[in-house]
Amino acid sequence: MEVNEQTAIDHGLSKDEFKKINDLLKRKPNLTELAIFSAMWNEHCSYKSSRKHLKNLHTEGSQVIQGPGENAGVVDIGDDEAIVFKIESHNHPSFIEPYQGAATGVGGIMRDVFTMGARPIANLNSIHFGSTQNKKTKNLLRGVVKGIGGYGNCIGVPTIAGQTHFDESYNGNILVNAMTLGLVNKNKIFYSKAAGLNKPVIYVGSKTGRDGIHGASMASAVFDDKIEEKKPTVQVGDPFTEKLLLEACLELMKEDSIISIQDMGAAGLTSSSVEMASKGKLGIELDLSKVPCRETEMTPYEIMLSESQERMLIILENGKEDKAKEIFDKWNLDFAVIGKTTNTKNLELIFKNKKVAQIPIDFLAENAPMYDRKWKKSKLPQKIDYPKEIFKSLKLENCLIKILSNPNVCDKKWIWEQYDHTVMGDTIQKPGGDSGVVRVHGTNKAVAACVDSSAIYCFAHPLTGGKQVVSESWRNLISVGAKPIAITNCLNFGNPEKEKNMGEFVECVNGISEAAKYLNFPVVSGNVSFYNETKDKGIKPTPSIGGIGLIEDYKNMITMKLKKEDNIILVIGKTEGYLDQSIFSRTILLEKKGPPPEVNLFNEKNNGETILKLISKKLILSCHDVSVGGILTAVSKMCIKGKKGVKINPQINFLNKFSYFFAEDQGRYIIEIEKKNLDSVKKLLKENSVHFDEFGVVTKEKLQFKDELNISIVDLSKKYKSWLENYMAN
């Protein structure tokens, strides 16, 4: 096949990029070489539109062992132990084929973690779907949830937390972001950097097939009417093989024979070989005739671009091949020596004794395009002036029920009950809380993890939204008694060639970085997903933040469920009554304009650290952060979880009850304390200059406020729990 400008365009390259390839090579590439360039230069692998701005992220911290640039981030949790973690997108494949797209997303992120020597201990996810009125939403949700559960459950890793959001902007592009945590000895971490000359390059795992070819390129393109034609680009996963691969790799890692290791994810053998060689400033020679293939007559083009799952590339010490083969044979996995490291600094491909490609590694990595795209700064919208008359016809109880039964607030048990969250026996806080929590096996330590996004706020003002989503992660960890350590991010945006979209990305990144730096909550890994767009309509900017924190003694873990009658409820943090962009404003008042709530990072840090002090002194019995839906929604969830009521203080000071109860001011928590400890708690709060309201008292069975709110927790629970179940049953 003749390679020309049109061929390059068909492979997702621009005219200028094709010219650059010709200039670099000083010749036309052949078809296999062009395919390799297309794989390595697409957004998914090269980060050509985002690299410039990702450098601005705050990535340093005292507990950071490995920041961005490796398969996953690594943080120190003491006692020579470390947590390896990352979140990554599998958006486009999941929209095309929801079960396999979601399943292979889970499989891929787990390989990123165990390729570094860590045993996966927990999975999380952040999933976004279109309007509940959209005819595709229900089936997409069902397929994605089944895929996540099907893969994670089979491999035996608990899914401990997650987040689900519905919005019409995802009608044409759903988001499936998967996150994994793994545990590793900090002195036995494995990296992808190649080293040494004439070292054997080893292929292990499943055979290579024709599934997933052009998967990375597809993930870097917008959708159109021909979306169904892209199904062959979706990978097919096998969790049982992944389990075997996991155990075989961890066994080999004990042998002191691995120089470097890399999973074959996006762009398959191409990206794994190039990245390993590039990091080590070496060349690599591969004999593609030796690659185990499950289909006949596969070409070099197909072998290099295949994204068949459950495969690894390993560089071994010389003389260790037989022992390694013995291990992989035992686990019934393919093992083949397919190449060697060289001093040429080239990627050289041999097939049937003929050289079929030769490309300098730097051309694929260092010299990959990096664009400084034009971007448009977002203006902070004007605040909405709500006339007093708008509240007169509203009834407090009706508003609360409507919010609790909203798809973005309601109980997501229908989703998480399909996931195995107790396998491995160390899950001590299951989905449905502020964060999932797993005990570090054999110790008193526990790791908390959560995942959050903030599309509504980011769409209104990306800089503020970026700060908010990091702060939300911070609060969710603190609410279970964990000291926040670090975050991973999955940045989901539309077409970066559009100034508005690019501006949303840049400002979100800046907001994330500002909050991460102030809170000492560094970004250690992540992923960028652009081109989430169909027929010129893109998603709302959706950065997903995965946060982890440490609980030194798991017995000090906090839950949100109310514990005992006559205990005192306090609201921690000042409530200004900020309604703009709140779910109350959007669903009750039908007002979608205005700026998001302000983020005061000093208050976030001060309030959060004070909560941790109270927990350390065993003064807090339950805790829940105030987020979507405001104070009354947060308290309602605590009531439902604990099967207790709350009598709200009738003397509580507010100008407007709706603004007070439903505002989404940031930096706030609801805490439950014993009456006998009230003075001690007040004293510590005042010493730390933390505002608080004496909100109410825990009661037996009702949520009450004057004569305006008097609802049983049983009825409240039904409203909260029934919406999603009913939706998926019809």
Side-chain angles (χ1 to χ4, degrees):
M1 182 180 179
E2 183 190 354
V3 172
N4 53 34
E5 193 175 84
Q6 188 56 52
T7 318
I9 291 169
D10 292 341
H11 280 73
L13 294 160
S14 70
K15 292 179 182 179
D16 288 343
E17 287 169 348
F18 181 59
K19 184 179 182 302
K20 183 176 179 178
I21 291 167
N22 283 276
D23 291 344
L24 287 169
L25 293 176
K26 297 179 180 175
R27 60 176 173 84
K28 270 189 184 181
N30 63 38
L31 188 61
T32 300
E33 291 171 330
L34 183 76
I36 290 167
F37 273 104
S38 83
M40 293 306 300
W41 283 17
N42 66 55
E43 286 286 357
H44 200 75
C45 293
S46 73
Y47 288 54
K48 59 190 176 187
S49 298
S50 58
R51 273 199 336 263
K52 178 181 186 293
H53 304 284
L54 294 176
K55 293 176 182 177
N56 297 329
L57 286 171
H58 176 68
T59 61
E60 297 176 357
S62 59
Q63 290 172 262
V64 176
I65 296 173
Q66 175 64 55
E70 261 295 339
N71 286 298
V74 188
V75 294
D76 194 335
I77 60 167
D79 305 312
D80 286 332
E81 291 178 311
I83 293 294
V84 179
F85 72 112
K86 186 183 180 183
I87 188 170
E88 197 162 51
S89 64
H90 227 224
N91 303 335
H92 285 55
S94 299
F95 187 66
I96 297 167
E97 215 302 303
Y99 181 90
Q100 288 295 349
T104 51
V106 173
I109 195 63
M110 281 198 282
R111 287 196 300 281
D112 279 341
V113 167
F114 74 73
T115 194
M116 298 192 73
R119 179 174 290 281
I121 59 171
N123 288 330
L124 301 89
N125 55 77
S126 176
I127 52 180
H128 295 69
F129 299 90
S131 163
T132 55
Q133 306 303 312
N134 184 284
K135 62 182 182 180
K136 288 186 177 181
T137 296
K138 200 177 293 186
N139 285 335
L140 287 167
L141 174 60
R142 187 174 283 112
V144 165
V145 171
K146 195 173 180 182
I148 291 170
Y151 207 101
N153 297 354
C154 287
I155 204 169
V157 177
T159 299
I160 64 167
Q163 180 225 9
T164 306
H165 185 76
F166 300 91
D167 185 89
E168 64 181 7
S169 76
Y170 308 108
N171 282 351
N173 290 84
I174 66 171
L175 303 183
V176 176
N177 297 172
M179 176 177 169
T180 293
L181 282 65
L183 181 67
V184 69
N185 184 304
K186 73 175 186 180
N187 301 310
K188 294 184 178 178
I189 300 167
F190 290 82
Y191 298 96
S192 58
K193 180 181 176 181
L197 296 179
N198 294 311
K199 302 296 182 182
V201 178
I202 313 297
Y203 173 115
V204 299
S206 290
K207 286 180 169 60
T208 294
R210 290 189 170 97
D211 55 313
I213 293 173
H214 294 303
S217 300
M218 178 270 293
S220 304
V222 296
F223 284 156
D224 54 28
D225 290 324
K226 297 180 179 178
I227 186 173
E228 291 297 315
E229 296 176 10
K230 299 181 185 288
K231 278 194 175 183
T233 65
V234 179
Q235 310 90 334
V236 179
D238 179 359
F240 299 103
T241 300
E242 176 117 336
K243 173 65 174 173
L244 299 178
L245 184 61
L246 161 66
E247 299 300 340
C249 286
L250 293 181
E251 185 174 339
L252 181 61
M253 287 167 173
K254 295 175 183 176
E255 296 293 322
D256 196 30
S257 59
I258 295 176
I259 296 172
S260 63
I261 180 169
Q262 176 79 30
D263 82 295
M264 294 190 219
L269 187 54
T270 292
S271 63
S272 56
S273 58
V274 170
E275 286 173 15
M276 292 170 89
S278 174
K279 288 175 182 176
K281 300 189 182 304
L282 294 171
I284 192 164
E285 180 185 289
L286 302 177
D287 187 344
L288 301 184
S289 307
K290 296 178 179 179
V291 173
C293 294
R294 67 168 179 262
E295 299 179 52
T296 59
E297 302 301 319
M298 286 190 69
T299 65
Y301 177 105
E302 292 171 324
I303 293 169
M304 290 302 290
L305 263 66
S306 168
E307 292 184 14
S308 294
Q309 298 291 283
E310 295 84 41
R311 302 179 300 157
M312 291 280 189
L313 200 63
I314 301 172
I315 297 175
L316 282 181
E317 293 286 1
N318 295 107
K320 301 289 186 177
E321 297 95 325
D322 289 346
K323 180 61 181 177
K325 185 176 186 307
E326 184 183 314
I327 291 170
F328 283 90
D329 284 350
K330 183 182 81 172
W331 291 100
N332 199 30
L333 294 164
D334 277 287
F335 177 99
V337 181
I338 66 168
K340 63 183 180 181
T341 58
T342 69
N343 64 358
T344 64
K345 296 188 177 180
N346 291 332
L347 172 67
E348 296 174 274
L349 304 181
I350 313 296
F351 187 66
K352 295 181 178 179
N353 298 315
K354 290 182 180 178
K355 186 173 286 188
V356 294
Q358 180 170 311
I359 307 171
I361 293 287
D362 282 352
F363 291 3
L364 299 169
E366 297 288 322
N367 285 314
M370 183 170 75
Y371 296 129
D372 185 6
R373 298 197 185 277
K374 292 181 179 179
W375 59 277
K376 190 175 179 182
K377 190 177 177 68
S378 297
K379 292 181 181 178
L380 189 69
Q382 273 193 319
K383 283 193 77 173
I384 305 297
D385 185 16
Y386 298 95
K388 290 181 181 178
E389 305 81 61
I390 201 170
F391 301 101
K392 285 183 178 178
S393 62
L394 300 178
K395 293 187 177 179
L396 196 59
E397 190 168 307
N398 293 345
C399 292
L400 175 60
I401 289 169
K402 190 169 183 178
I403 288 171
L404 282 174
S405 57
N406 182 281
N408 290 323
V409 177
C410 72
D411 189 21
K412 304 302 190 300
K413 187 178 179 180
W414 181 90
I415 293 172
W416 58 257
E417 70 181 355
Q418 297 182 55
Y419 308 147
D420 191 337
H421 45 266
T422 59
V423 65
M424 300 180 80
D426 285 315
T427 305
I428 56 175
Q429 188 157 172
K430 64 184 183 183
D434 285 308
S435 298
V437 184
V438 288
R439 184 172 63 108
V440 178
H441 195 76
T443 75
N444 285 336
K445 292 185 296 189
V447 176
C450 60
V451 61
D452 301 280
S453 69
S454 185
I456 298 297
Y457 293 167
C458 288
F459 184 66
H461 191 242
L463 181 68
T464 305
K467 288 191 280 188
Q468 188 278 332
V469 69
V470 174
S471 302
E472 171 76 3
S473 181
W474 166 269
R475 291 197 300 273
N476 278 332
L477 294 169
I478 285 172
S479 295
V480 300
K483 181 180 181 291
I485 298 175
I487 59 178
T488 179
N489 59 35
C490 190
L491 307 174
N492 308 277
F493 291 81
N495 185 347
E497 297 164 48
K498 296 179 179 179
E499 290 184 23
K500 182 178 183 296
N501 292 348
M502 195 64 208
E504 290 171 342
F505 174 81
V506 172
E507 293 193 279
C508 272
V509 167
N510 290 342
I512 289 168
S513 188
E514 185 181 338
K517 188 174 184 178
Y518 194 93
L519 299 174
N520 191 23
F521 201 27
V523 181
V524 298
S525 59
N527 168 240
V528 177
S529 176
F530 278 134
Y531 295 99
N532 292 287
E533 193 159 309
T534 297
K535 296 181 183 178
D536 210 38
K537 188 171 182 180
I539 63 166
K540 286 186 171 74
T542 312
S544 294
I545 299 292
I548 70 160
L550 182 65
I551 304 173
E552 291 287 355
D553 187 342
Y554 70 87
K555 298 185 186 76
N556 296 330
M557 180 188 75
I558 302 294
T559 67
M560 70 167 69
K561 68 177 185 180
L562 297 178
K563 304 298 188 296
K564 189 179 174 184
E565 290 171 50
D566 295 325
N567 284 344
I568 304 292
I569 302 295
L570 300 181
V571 177
I572 306 300
K574 181 82 171 163
T575 301
E576 302 285 356
Y578 207 101
L579 286 180
D580 289 353
Q581 295 300 331
S582 68
I583 199 161
F584 174 85
S585 178
R586 296 173 68 84
T587 60
I588 307 295
L589 304 180
L590 304 178
E591 176 59 75
K592 296 184 178 181
K593 295 179 181 176
E598 296 168 2
V599 178
N600 184 315
L601 291 172
F602 174 84
N603 287 343
E604 285 286 0
K605 190 174 186 180
N606 189 48
N607 294 358
E609 289 177 344
T610 305
I611 291 287
L612 288 179
K613 287 176 185 175
L614 290 169
I615 291 172
S616 70
K617 295 178 181 293
K618 302 188 186 302
L619 294 172
I620 292 180
L621 295 175
S622 64
C623 181
H624 183 31
D625 83 304
V626 181
S627 56
V628 176
I631 290 172
L632 200 57
T633 303
V635 168
S636 296
K637 289 182 181 181
M638 296 174 80
C639 290
I640 292 164
K641 290 281 185 183
K643 298 179 180 177
K644 300 281 191 299
V646 168
K647 187 174 184 180
I648 299 169
N649 181 2
Q651 304 303 315
I652 201 161
N653 184 32
F654 50 70
L655 296 172
N656 179 315
K657 60 180 177 257
F658 294 100
S659 297
Y660 181 84
F661 285 134
F662 297 115
E664 294 180 10
D665 300 80
Q666 301 295 290
R668 298 178 298 159
Y669 303 80
I670 311 292
I671 63 171
E672 175 191 8
I673 63 172
E674 292 185 277
K675 276 185 179 178
K676 66 179 184 181
N677 292 327
L678 180 59
D679 289 342
S680 299
V681 171
K682 281 183 175 180
K683 184 172 182 291
L684 198 148
L685 290 169
K686 287 175 180 176
E687 285 173 356
N688 288 274
S689 301
V690 174
H691 180 93
F692 65 92
D693 296 332
E694 292 187 49
F695 185 77
V697 178
V698 180
T699 61
K700 190 174 181 178
E701 59 186 16
K702 287 187 176 183
L703 182 60
Q704 298 170 288
F705 176 67
K706 299 181 179 178
D707 60 352
E708 300 177 55
L709 184 63
N710 189 22
I711 184 169
S712 75
I713 303 308
V714 172
D715 289 341
L716 201 65
S717 182
K718 285 178 182 175
K719 300 294 183 183
Y720 176 62
K721 293 180 178 181
S722 62
W723 186 89
L724 187 58
E725 288 181 357
N726 291 340
Y727 175 70
M728 296 308 297
N730 297 322

Coordinates of all heavy atoms in Angstrom, one line a residue, residues 75 94 111 122 131 194 204 275 282 324 355 402 451 460 510 613 629 655 666 684:
V75 N 3.5 6.3 46.9 CA 3.6 7.1 48.1 C 4.0 6.2 49.3 O 3.5 5.1 49.4 CB 2.4 7.9 48.4 CG1 2.2 9.0 47.3 CG2 1.2 7.0 48.6
S94 N -15.8 2.3 26.0 CA -17.0 2.0 26.8 C -18.3 2.5 26.2 O -19.3 1.9 26.4 CB -16.8 2.5 28.2 OG -15.7 2.0 28.9
R111 N -3.1 -3.6 35.6 CA -1.7 -3.9 35.1 C -0.8 -2.8 35.4 O 0.4 -3.0 35.7 CB -1.8 -4.3 33.6 CG -2.4 -5.6 33.4 CD -2.1 -6.1 31.9 NE -2.6 -5.2 30.9 CZ -3.9 -5.1 30.5 NH1 -4.8 -6.0 31.1 NH2 -4.3 -4.3 29.6
A122 N -7.4 -2.7 46.0 CA -8.7 -2.0 45.9 C -8.9 -1.4 44.5 O -7.9 -0.9 43.9 CB -8.8 -1.0 47.0
S131 N -28.2 12.0 30.0 CA -29.4 12.3 30.7 C -30.2 11.0 30.9 O -30.1 10.1 30.1 CB -30.3 13.2 29.9 OG -31.6 13.2 30.3
A194 N 14.4 0.9 30.6 CA 15.3 -0.2 30.1 C 16.8 0.2 30.5 O 17.1 1.3 30.7 CB 15.2 -0.3 28.6
V204 N 5.3 -11.8 27.5 CA 4.5 -12.8 28.4 C 3.0 -12.4 28.4 O 2.6 -11.3 28.2 CB 5.1 -12.8 29.8 CG1 6.5 -13.2 29.9 CG2 4.9 -11.5 30.5
E275 N 8.6 3.1 24.9 CA 8.7 3.8 26.2 C 9.8 3.3 27.0 O 10.6 4.0 27.6 CB 7.4 3.7 26.9 CG 6.3 4.7 26.4 CD 4.9 4.4 27.0 OE1 4.9 3.8 28.1 OE2 3.9 4.9 26.5
L282 N 18.1 3.9 25.0 CA 18.7 2.7 24.3 C 17.9 2.5 23.0 O 16.9 3.1 22.8 CB 18.6 1.4 25.2 CG 19.4 1.4 26.5 CD1 19.0 0.2 27.3 CD2 20.9 1.4 26.1
A324 N 12.6 -17.8 34.2 CA 11.4 -17.0 33.9 C 10.4 -17.8 33.1 O 9.2 -17.8 33.4 CB 11.7 -15.7 33.2
K355 N 14.1 -6.8 7.6 CA 13.8 -5.6 8.4 C 12.6 -4.9 7.8 O 12.6 -4.5 6.7 CB 15.1 -4.7 8.4 CG 14.9 -3.5 9.4 CD 16.2 -2.7 9.5 CE 17.2 -3.5 10.3 NZ 18.4 -2.6 10.6
K402 N -37.2 15.9 46.8 CA -36.8 16.0 45.4 C -35.3 15.9 45.2 O -34.8 15.3 44.2 CB -37.4 17.3 44.8 CG -37.2 17.4 43.3 CD -38.0 18.6 42.8 CE -37.9 18.6 41.2 NZ -38.7 19.7 40.6
V451 N -13.0 8.9 45.0 CA -12.9 9.5 43.7 C -14.0 10.5 43.5 O -15.2 10.2 43.9 CB -12.9 8.4 42.6 CG1 -14.1 7.6 42.6 CG2 -12.6 9.0 41.2
A460 N -19.0 26.0 34.9 CA -19.3 27.3 35.2 C -18.1 28.2 35.3 O -18.1 29.4 34.9 CB -20.1 27.4 36.6
N510 N -4.7 24.4 36.3 CA -4.2 25.4 37.2 C -4.9 25.4 38.6 O -4.3 25.5 39.7 CB -4.3 26.8 36.6 CG -3.3 27.0 35.4 OD1 -2.4 26.2 35.3 ND2 -3.6 27.9 34.6
K613 N -7.8 16.6 64.3 CA -7.4 16.7 65.7 C -8.5 16.2 66.6 O -8.3 15.5 67.6 CB -7.1 18.2 66.0 CG -5.8 18.7 65.4 CD -5.6 20.2 65.7 CE -4.4 20.8 65.1 NZ -4.3 22.3 65.2
G629 N -26.0 19.2 47.5 CA -27.3 19.2 48.2 C -27.2 19.9 49.5 O -28.3 20.1 50.2
L655 N -30.5 33.7 57.5 CA -31.3 34.7 56.9 C -32.4 34.1 56.1 O -33.5 34.6 56.0 CB -30.4 35.6 56.0 CG -29.3 36.4 56.7 CD1 -28.4 37.1 55.7 CD2 -30.0 37.5 57.6
Q666 N -18.3 25.6 50.4 CA -17.2 24.6 50.6 C -16.6 24.6 52.0 O -16.9 25.5 52.8 CB -16.1 24.9 49.5 CG -16.7 24.8 48.1 CD -17.1 23.5 47.7 OE1 -16.4 22.6 47.5 NE2 -18.4 23.3 47.5
L684 N -11.6 23.5 71.3 CA -10.7 23.2 70.3 C -11.0 24.0 69.0 O -10.1 24.5 68.3 CB -10.6 21.7 70.0 CG -9.3 21.2 69.3 CD1 -8.9 19.8 69.8 CD2 -9.5 21.2 67.8

